[in-house]
Each structure stands twice: as structure tokens, then as C-alpha cells.
Amino acid sequence: MRRTIAVSAALACALNLAACGGTGGEPAATASATGKGYKLGFSFGLDDTPIYGLVVGPARKRAGQLGVSLIEGSAKSKCEAQVADMENMIVTGARAVTFLGLCGDGAAYNKVVRDGKAKGVTMVSYAFQHPEADGSITFNDEGAGQDLAADALAWIDEKFGTTYDNFSWGLISCSFAPPSIQKRSTIPKKEITAKTGKAPLKKDCANDPKTAQETVETWLAKDPGLDMVLAHVDSAALGAYQAFKQKGAKPGSVYVGGVDGQREAVDLLATGGDGIYQFSAALPLTGPIMVDIPNNIITGSGPASVRLNYTPLTADHPQAAKNWVTKEFEPWR
């Protein structure tokens, strides 16, 4: 059995449950000052990916608790479309806009953030910290990358010892992701390559399961002995899992790991991951937080920014994954 990674705290800052959307196990109670009736633009950007459902469902529920109307975008993972969504939200009367950092280093948002602020709209960046936004929701992505690398290296040590001649692996990253998100993949790449002397097969931004599965199927056609695939998001890792499973990979013979704590990945880990899906660095549900942070700013009722830690979940400890489902997912069904 691989070594156990210490479970990190659910949050890196001292916030109460209301400010963090009920991360302690139940939906947060309605805040005393809510600014009821305003419109909140919810620009996740990746609304065509599986994780959107995990985020937007709890966001809708939290908005309902606060009496806030949610305006959703339809960018379908395109930077220009997301910026256009945000401009439309501002024009159609949004009092606040929370936006995921789909567009690389964030410079593409400069104009729309300024436009919003000039009209008195509260602008909150998500998954990165825009320098001109009123608030932010950020993640400890360096910690996620380190945890993923540590668990993957422990598996390599167990399987290969000190001889890595037959080891091969693949990495799905994304060059247009915010720099912090890229640490989820750059840290494992650096550490595993340094340890084994083997550079990974690489694919850029195969973020959805279908594209990732096709990618790994192509890799397996060239290298049937592929041992490991890591991905910067669980949606891509789930595609890699399907490719290995369809190939008939034996339990324990390969390793798939991802980041985000997508429900499908956590459910897999809760049953041992079929011996294929080995790891997810899981975030607390962020949908409620994406509503709470702008509401805090509007009402002056809480912090304007939050930084979230990841919790490592592994196939070696299925009960921890089951507990995560109970704690994070079930209260927001």
C-alpha cells in the first residue's frame, strides 16, 4: 500500500461556514444582509465540460437561498465568448459578476473588468487573482501539484523500485489555463521526470473526457505498456481511465490521477477506482462560494477573497472518498 498523504485543511483562511458556502457539511444559512433581488453574472466559461454541473447546481441553490438571480453564460470553453458573456451580463443589469480565469494570464479580462467597475458592478475572479477585481477565489494549486506528484511517485517506487527502464507515462495539461492552475501539471512533470529520467507523452488542453480518451487510446496504440497518465483536471483523467479500462488494464497495473474532485472521480475512488483511477486532489464545492464572495462584498457581511486547499483522495483509502461525498456533495443535491 502506498504511503498516506496527510489530508490538508478544507480551507486555508479563517472563514465561517456562511462565507464558504457550507463547506462544513450543510448548505449555509441565509445571510442576515443579502442585498436581495440583484442579478449575479456567473461566468464559469467551461460550461461545456462535465464539471460545470458540479459547480452550477450548488451555485443555483445558494443563489436561491440569498434571493439572488443567477445569469449564466455559454462560452463553451472559448475565451472570446466568455468575455462577450461578461459584457452582456454587465449591460443587462448584473450587480456582480464572478468569472473563471479561462483566458490564460488574465489580461484578456482587463477591459471588461474596468467596464464593469465603471458601472458599479462588483467583479470577482475565480481560479486566479485578477489585479483589478474587487475580490477573488483562488486555490492552492501548488499543493495539489505536490500531492499528485507525491502519490504518483510512491506508486512508481512500489511498482518499479529503482529501475525505470520500462516506465512510460503521459501528461494532459493546458497552456491557456491560469499560471496557478498550470502548477497542477508542471510540478508532477518536473518531479517525475527528475526521478525516472522519463519525459511524458504530452497533450495540451484535452479537457473533456472524450478528447482525453482519444488521446490516451492513441498513446496506447504506440506504447501498449503505458503505465501512468496524469491530468490537470479530473474530467481529462476520467477519459484516460476509460481508455485503460477498455484496453483491459488489470487492477494495480496502471495509474491515473487528476485534480478537482469531480463527482465521478470521487465516486470511483470510493470503490477503489477499479485499480486504475488512483488519485484526485479534491476541492471543496466552489459553486456556493462563487455566490457568497460577491454577496459578501455587496453587503459588507464577510471577506472579499478566499483561498482554498485541496484534499488528497486515493484509491487506497476509499472511506475518505465516501466521507467526501457525504460532506461535500450530498448537502447540495
Side-chain angles (χ1 to χ4, degrees):
M1 181 175 289
R2 301 193 304 281
R3 69 179 184 83
T4 301
I5 297 176
V7 175
S8 58
L11 298 175
C13 60
L15 290 177
N16 59 33
L17 295 184
C20 290
T23 303
E26 294 182 1
T30 302
S32 58
T34 64
K36 275 190 174 184
Y38 67 83
K39 297 178 181 179
L40 170 62
F42 189 78
S43 182
F44 193 73
L46 303 172
D47 39 75
D48 58 338
T49 63
I51 199 170
Y52 184 59
L54 180 64
V55 176
V56 75
R60 290 169 181 159
K61 187 167 185 177
R62 183 63 174 141
Q65 290 175 343
L66 295 177
V68 172
S69 298
L70 212 61
I71 307 172
E72 297 174 37
S74 56
K76 301 190 185 305
S77 300
K78 293 181 174 60
C79 171
E80 298 84 357
Q82 186 194 22
V83 173
D85 274 347
M86 292 168 63
E87 290 282 10
N88 185 59
M89 290 168 182
I90 292 166
V91 169
T92 55
R95 176 65 181 82
V97 175
T98 303
F99 60 102
L100 180 141
L102 176 64
C103 305
D105 64 5
Y109 301 108
N110 291 350
K111 182 180 182 301
V112 68
V113 169
R114 291 167 189 164
D115 288 347
K117 294 184 71 173
K119 292 178 172 63
V121 178
T122 296
M123 306 297 291
V124 175
S125 56
Y126 170 87
F128 79 118
Q129 194 164 19
H130 191 282
E132 298 181 57
D134 299 289
S136 65
I137 302 160
T138 56
F139 317 137
N140 181 9
D141 291 304
E142 182 174 4
Q146 290 169 344
D147 284 346
L148 177 56
D151 197 67
L153 285 168
W155 184 87
I156 292 169
D157 285 344
E158 182 181 84
K159 184 175 173 65
F160 291 93
T162 58
T163 304
Y164 310 114
D165 292 345
N166 295 323
F167 172 69
S168 62
W169 67 298
L171 181 67
I172 299 174
S173 55
C174 194
S175 60
F176 70 67
S180 60
I181 297 290
Q182 294 187 38
K183 291 180 181 179
R184 301 174 177 186
S185 51
T186 57
I187 290 173
K189 178 184 176 184
K190 179 180 179 181
E191 294 192 11
I192 294 172
T193 301
K195 171 92 170 181
T196 65
K198 297 296 185 71
L201 299 167
K202 293 183 289 185
K203 179 66 176 179
D204 193 46
C205 301
N207 295 329
D208 64 282
K210 182 176 183 294
T211 305
Q213 180 175 345
E214 292 170 351
T215 294
V216 176
E217 286 172 348
T218 299
W219 289 347
L220 286 168
K222 296 178 180 178
D223 179 7
L226 188 68
D227 299 291
M228 174 180 287
V229 174
L230 307 183
H232 75 120
V233 287
D234 274 324
S235 55
L238 286 162
Y241 158 80
Q242 287 294 340
F244 277 121
K245 189 172 177 63
Q246 289 190 12
K247 187 198 172 194
K250 295 180 180 179
S253 65
V254 295
Y255 181 110
V256 172
V259 178
D260 270 337
Q262 187 171 322
R263 177 66 189 262
E264 293 87 345
V266 177
D267 283 342
L268 260 177
L269 294 174
T271 59
D274 287 342
I276 298 171
Y277 211 101
Q278 302 277 357
F279 179 93
S280 177
L283 271 177
L285 281 188
T286 56
I289 302 169
M290 291 178 75
V291 177
D292 281 329
I293 293 298
N295 190 71
N296 289 347
I297 298 169
I298 290 169
T299 64
S301 59
S305 295
V306 61
R307 187 169 187 257
L308 304 177
N309 275 334
Y310 294 82
T311 295
L313 300 175
T314 73
D316 286 341
H317 301 282
Q319 187 58 50
K322 292 176 184 177
N323 293 343
W324 189 262
V325 170
T326 300
K327 175 174 176 282
E328 290 297 329
F329 300 140
E330 294 301 327
W332 293 97
R333 285 187 303 173

